[in-house]
Amino acid sequence: MSSGVPKLGFFGKPPQDASGKALGLRLFNFSAPNMKNFHWAWLTFHIGFFSWYSIAGLSAFLYKKGETEGYVLTEDSYATSVMFAVASTIIMRFAFGPICDAFGPRLSQAFILVFGSIPVACFALAMDSHVKIYILRFAIGFLGASFVPCQFFTSQFFAPSVVGSANAFSGGWGNLGAGVTLLVMPWLLRIFTGGLGMSVNEGLKWVFLIPAAITCSVGIMVFFFADDSPQGSWKNRALPGETAEQAAERCRIRDEKA
């Protein structure tokens, strides 16, 4: 860390070390490659958690304690569905560590968001069966693994002297998606029930298309606009102990031999 250069700040492009990793965190800066990908890290995690918790955001409309008539779920079946969602997230987080190691954070996060958006969009197809909802929530739990590429992003773009702060801010802002969805999803449902005159159950068939569309769109955008490393693609990243120049030379020789 250069003397006199603060680790945390709001504006200005942060300095880089010899490998291209940022030596500081500038929260309101969007310069490439470091801060641009910091913002992709937390935003994709935020959206992943927003969709993962979208059903929880409408739990008051899905079941009511002691009542079954007119509700999609019972209290017990809702609790069971939560267990399925958490179980799949645990499995997928274990899986996506090695996947990130092999393919980098950009492709990994894009895959999680695009694939995870599909079961969110299909909620209407599961409303007639508790078992279908269990399967659906198990698949939606896939989105909980978005935490792994988020933290992998920051480890690639920030030096050890500041990566802890980068992890904390990206993880915290990403986790906020779970809280935002609790506020936003009931409001979105009211658009269908109040604005369009649908019943609650009719509105539930349509409202989940919104987080699904957002999640899929962000997944596509991170694939095309984010980077895997300060050098760009995952295959061109600087290996441990390499400078950016050494990595570029190694990749040049590799490409010439290919």
Side-chain angles (χ1 to χ4, degrees):
M1 185 81 180
S2 300
S3 177
V5 178
K7 292 183 181 180
L8 297 178
F10 294 104
F11 303 103
K13 185 175 181 178
Q16 297 174 318
D17 65 12
S19 67
K21 293 186 176 183
L23 293 166
L25 182 65
R26 307 292 182 262
L27 297 176
F28 298 145
N29 179 270
F30 296 86
S31 61
N34 308 91
M35 293 311 305
K36 179 189 81 170
N37 288 284
F38 166 82
H39 291 295
W40 276 121
W42 76 260
L43 177 62
T44 52
F45 180 27
H46 183 100
I47 294 300
F49 260 45
F50 183 95
S51 278
W52 185 30
Y53 277 80
S54 60
I55 291 178
L58 294 177
S59 59
F61 302 95
L62 294 172
Y63 78 93
K64 187 174 182 179
K65 187 175 182 178
E67 295 187 25
T68 58
E69 187 68 27
Y71 288 92
V72 176
L73 294 167
T74 64
E75 184 179 13
D76 288 342
S77 62
Y78 179 80
T80 301
S81 75
V82 172
M83 288 190 289
F84 276 99
V86 174
S88 63
T89 291
I90 294 171
I91 296 169
M92 288 300 104
R93 286 188 177 184
F94 282 129
F96 269 90
I99 290 172
C100 283
D101 288 336
F103 299 103
R106 178 182 59 89
L107 181 61
S108 300
Q109 193 73 300
F111 183 79
I112 289 171
L113 296 183
V114 172
F115 179 86
S117 70
I118 297 171
V120 176
C122 292
F123 183 82
L125 302 178
M127 288 180 62
D128 62 341
S129 166
H130 292 178
V131 174
K132 289 180 182 178
I133 288 182
Y134 297 158
I135 296 171
L136 196 75
R137 293 210 73 180
F138 186 86
I140 291 173
F142 197 84
L143 290 166
S146 58
F147 169 77
V148 178
C150 167
Q151 299 294 278
F152 203 92
F153 262 118
T154 49
S155 70
Q156 294 303 311
F157 287 93
F158 293 88
S161 59
V162 74
V163 70
S165 297
N167 286 344
F169 277 98
S170 63
W173 289 357
N175 268 317
L176 189 61
V180 171
T181 196
L182 299 180
L183 301 175
V184 173
M185 288 303 293
W187 177 78
L188 291 176
L189 181 61
R190 281 195 291 272
I191 293 177
F192 289 95
T193 56
L196 300 178
M198 296 182 181
S199 68
V200 170
N201 281 350
E202 287 176 335
L204 287 171
K205 293 179 180 179
W206 292 97
V207 69
F208 290 103
L209 293 176
I210 298 176
I214 294 172
T215 303
C216 185
S217 298
V218 172
I220 293 171
M221 286 190 292
V222 75
F223 177 80
F224 285 106
F225 300 118
D227 304 302
D228 286 301
S229 70
Q231 289 72 41
S233 67
W234 185 240
K235 68 176 183 177
N236 292 337
R237 70 192 184 280
L239 300 177
E242 280 187 332
T243 65
E245 290 75 15
Q246 290 169 338
E249 179 64 15
R250 173 177 53 80
C251 293
R252 183 188 65 79
I253 295 172
R254 177 202 63 201
D255 293 341
E256 287 179 352
K257 292 180 178 179

